Amino acid sequence: MTSKIVKLLEIQTIYILFRIFEQNYIQIKIQIMFKKITILSLMFIVLINSYLRADEGMWIPLLLQKYNIEDMQKKGFKLTAEDIYSINQASMKDAVMIFDGGCTAELISDKGLIITNHHCGFSQIQDHSSLENDYLTDGFWAASHDEELPNKGLTVTFLVRMEDVTAQVLAGVADDGEESVRQAAIDKNIEKIKEEAVKGTHYQAKVKAFFYGNQYFLFVQEEFLDVRFVGAPPSAIGKFGGDTDNWMWPRHTGDFSLFRIYADKDNKPAEYSENNVPFTPKKHFTISMKGTQPGDFTMVFGYPGNTEEYLTSYAVDMIQTKINPYRIEIRQTSIDLMLADMEKSPAVRIQYADKHASVSNAWKKWIGENNGLKRLDAVNVKKQREATLTQWINQDETRKQKYAYILPEFEKIYADYAQYSFAEEYFYEAIWRMESVKMATRMRYLVEKGSEFKPEDVEKIRTSAKNFFKDYNLETDKKIFKALLSLYVTNVDKRFQPEFSTFVKSKYLDLSDPKKLDAYVDFYFEKTFFLHEDQLMKFFDTYAKADYKKLENAPAYQFYTNFMNMYVAQIMPVVKSYDQKIANLNRFYMRALMEADSAKIFYPDANFTLRVTYGKVADYEPKDGIKYKHYTTVDGIIEKDNPDIYDYRVPQRLKDLYAAKDYGDYAENGELHTCFIATNHTTGGNSGSPVLNANGELIGVNFDRCWEGTMSDIMYDPAQCRNISLDIRYALFLIDKFAGASYLLDEMIIVK
């Protein structure tokens, strides 16, 4: 080892030591920098690496026995890897599911009862709500199975088994060459694997890439189609704190809802039918009333959506400086306009509740992510790691031939790619999210059918349109359309704007002129008949052969098609080409990282497949001089009570229970705990995931992360990353004492 490499390693060692121990105010002597790396310092490196990944990682359940179970047991876990994942016996995997294609849920009874987050079930709660039956405001609790509400399109999906199929996927596939050709060969192999995996069964199969295509796993799944709404607290509890408290700690949100899986008489998946019966699962979780203490082992088992821990400095810089700031600005604009109308009208509040929550969630996350990346100096940290990798590559001629080109090629690509990525993000955030554009996409179906349409085609769109108008307010859409179009025209390069003269009349052509923009927006909404429900339904009543041309001539349809044509011609092919090049580079870059640090256990990025994360209950110090304990109580809810602010209007029933201290068996030392935090590595998709103790018992339901740690999708920081969970005892209290639905607790196994 050359002295230059030794010094580099020494400096890195000091840097890591300083970052880790500064949180505990331990002074590190600077003279270590000038010493040779000794056996002792090598031991420090091992310990530090262990610390850095102690609570970091989203681990594949199939591989726990090989990589993680010993570490988990050292940290307090009292079960085995087979208890978590098994195909030979009932295991925890059989109690965890994908909920509605984007969240996680878990079984809590032998009668198919499941719990997930309130925000995961929010769209179903909204769908069943009206001014007459406002379940968003009042909550809902079915008094019997007969009162449980069906949900069209809602599914839950269980993992039956998973398998490493890397060899089969890459059989006959060249390691280099044209990426599109290579991917076509991979796709062909995957289709064959999936077909064989589910032959003769009612199961579904998917194959997912891990480590940027260096590894592949098959997932065989079982999907249930009849999932009914059982109960949820009012939004004043289920969304308490709203967007103000979203991503924040301390938190006091009762973020849960209950659903039930139904099956046919043979306990198999079936479409909704009155003859279906509650599903009998292989496994459901026991619920613990013990609570949490700092240092307690915790495990989150669920479906994290997407992380990008192995991005290069060039990618992180693009996200931090070129993409996120504009995403934030666009969504801030929509949020402000939605909220203003929601506060004025109860009807609009119901119509836009889910939309507002959806838009604001990522908006606030991106703000926290950027702050975290800046605080960690993420781009420069990535550059330092790339410099170390480059040095390792250059030490060996074979490695130079395999890997030396990668980082220079990344730099070259991102220099040009960033402008196209920016244009694509702006298109999706500012144009594609417009409600009038979404309606135009529905009309495209009939336009493409042309004069060959069938009556059922019209009925299909009529049904879709009715669903659209149920949650649509034209005046709100009009305000948002105007604001977002103005942002697009102002901030996006002219190359990535359609030729407005092809669909905007000359008197409106200069949309950068506020007066002309106002006039065009008025014209757009007045003359687009399919944005007016009464006009559209009359149009459908008499729909004839040539009527699709009326759809084509509507201003909103012309706007949509011209923007779409521009995107397809100017942005999409370039982005796709760069994405393919980056995918190829990422595959080899990931391989180089893993070869350079062969002693390290790498975890794959999240890709909405079942993962285990584990850590411990812990306090939290987000800023200098501020320290939060690991839990919150109902006291904080009462302290925040403010009837003038929608997010903080505490229901009178909860205030009465608080005044009487009527907490039943759910309090701890006279306090009713509401939420707690731990160091588990989570992300989107983990919403609704079970939080389990050392015995595998349910102690909470994961629902959020601390704002200062949202950059964990890109760079994990053990000092700042905390997952936020609902204390399961608060959920039981609300079901029993608040809602009077204690019959539901009779289904559960609850231990003290």
Side-chain angles (χ1 to χ4, degrees), residues 307-318:
T307 58
E308 298 175 298
E309 300 287 339
Y310 306 108
L311 288 178
T312 65
S313 61
Y314 310 107
V316 175
D317 180 66
M318 182 183 77

Side-chain angles (χ1 to χ4, degrees), residues 618-687:
D619 295 335
Y620 181 43
E621 297 183 39
K623 296 178 182 178
D624 181 47
I626 298 176
K627 183 174 182 177
Y628 293 120
K629 58 188 179 183
H630 71 280
Y631 70 94
T632 56
T633 72
V634 71
D635 294 17
I637 296 176
I638 302 303
E639 289 170 2
K640 290 181 177 180
D641 180 30
N642 188 337
D644 295 329
I645 301 176
Y646 181 76
D647 289 340
Y648 298 115
R649 296 172 188 169
V650 179
Q652 187 60 46
R653 172 66 179 158
L654 184 58
K655 288 193 278 190
D656 292 343
L657 290 167
Y658 174 80
K661 297 295 184 285
D662 187 5
Y663 302 149
D665 295 330
Y666 310 109
E668 179 179 328
N669 298 323
E671 291 184 318
L672 181 61
H673 291 212
T674 53
C675 303
F676 65 92
I677 52 173
T679 61
N680 300 282
H681 190 179
T682 61
T683 188
N686 274 127
S687 291

Side-chain angles (χ1 to χ4, degrees), residues 285-402:
F285 288 113
T286 296
I287 296 172
S288 172
M289 294 275 283
K290 188 176 179 181
T292 60
Q293 297 297 324
D296 284 356
F297 175 89
T298 57
M299 172 181 137
V300 174
F301 200 16
Y303 286 84
N306 183 63
T307 58
E308 298 175 298
E309 300 287 339
Y310 306 108
L311 288 178
T312 65
S313 61
Y314 310 107
V316 175
D317 180 66
M318 182 183 77
I319 292 169
Q320 184 181 343
T321 64
K322 299 178 177 64
I323 303 299
N324 277 355
Y326 287 95
R327 283 171 163 174
I328 293 165
E329 180 185 28
I330 294 167
R331 292 208 174 193
Q332 178 73 69
T333 301
S334 295
I335 288 166
D336 290 346
L337 292 170
M338 275 190 216
L339 192 58
D341 282 5
M342 289 168 70
E343 289 176 345
K344 293 176 184 176
S345 166
V348 175
R349 176 180 55 76
I350 293 173
Q351 289 174 320
Y352 281 77
D354 191 37
K355 297 171 189 175
H356 181 267
S358 176
V359 171
S360 63
N361 188 56
W363 159 79
K364 195 165 186 177
K365 185 258 187 181
W366 289 328
I367 295 173
E369 180 177 85
N370 259 24
N371 290 343
L373 291 173
K374 182 179 179 181
R375 176 177 53 78
L376 291 177
D377 196 19
V379 173
N380 285 325
V381 170
K382 293 276 187 180
K383 285 181 177 179
Q384 291 167 8
R385 293 175 185 172
E386 290 159 8
T388 302
L389 181 65
T390 298
Q391 202 154 27
W392 174 82
I393 291 170
N394 290 337
Q395 288 175 342
D396 181 89
E397 194 61 35
T398 302
R399 294 200 292 254
K400 285 174 68 175
Q401 291 178 8
K402 287 171 62 178

Side-chain angles (χ1 to χ4, degrees), residues 49 79 104 132 149 178 198 208 227 229 280 297 328 339 359 381 405 427 539 543 595 683 686 703 709 724 734 739:
N49 283 338
L79 303 178
T104 303
E132 295 76 25
L149 303 176
E178 182 66 34
V198 299
K208 288 276 193 135
V227 185
F229 180 35
T280 302
F297 175 89
I328 293 165
L339 192 58
V359 171
V381 170
Y405 74 96
F427 171 78
F539 175 73
Y543 196 81
E595 286 183 23
T683 188
N686 274 127
F703 70 90
I724 305 175
L734 291 169

Side-chain angles (χ1 to χ4, degrees), residues 186-314:
I186 288 173
D187 291 342
K188 185 177 179 180
N189 287 346
I190 286 175
E191 286 306 309
K192 183 179 179 181
I193 293 166
K194 288 163 56 179
E195 182 180 345
E196 291 178 353
V198 299
K199 187 180 298 182
T201 74
H202 65 278
Y203 296 145
Q204 301 172 347
K206 64 181 179 182
V207 173
K208 288 276 193 135
F210 290 71
F211 297 118
Y212 293 110
N214 284 293
Q215 192 173 25
Y216 290 85
F217 280 86
L218 164 72
F219 298 86
V220 177
Q221 300 174 319
E222 184 175 34
E223 183 179 64
F224 285 81
L225 310 172
D226 186 356
V227 185
R228 304 183 194 178
F229 180 35
V230 174
S235 293
I237 290 174
K239 273 178 60 67
F240 182 78
D243 295 314
T244 306
D245 285 1
N246 190 23
W247 299 105
M248 307 300 287
W249 185 258
R251 199 66 172 277
H252 303 84
T253 312
D255 196 349
F256 80 98
S257 56
L258 300 177
F259 291 79
R260 192 184 304 279
I261 307 169
Y262 280 74
D264 66 16
K265 60 183 177 60
D266 297 318
N267 209 40
K268 294 290 191 296
E271 294 283 355
Y272 170 79
S273 168
E274 292 183 358
N275 296 323
N276 287 346
V277 295
F279 170 62
T280 302
K282 297 177 185 177
K283 168 81 174 177
H284 68 277
F285 288 113
T286 296
I287 296 172
S288 172
M289 294 275 283
K290 188 176 179 181
T292 60
Q293 297 297 324
D296 284 356
F297 175 89
T298 57
M299 172 181 137
V300 174
F301 200 16
Y303 286 84
N306 183 63
T307 58
E308 298 175 298
E309 300 287 339
Y310 306 108
L311 288 178
T312 65
S313 61
Y314 310 107

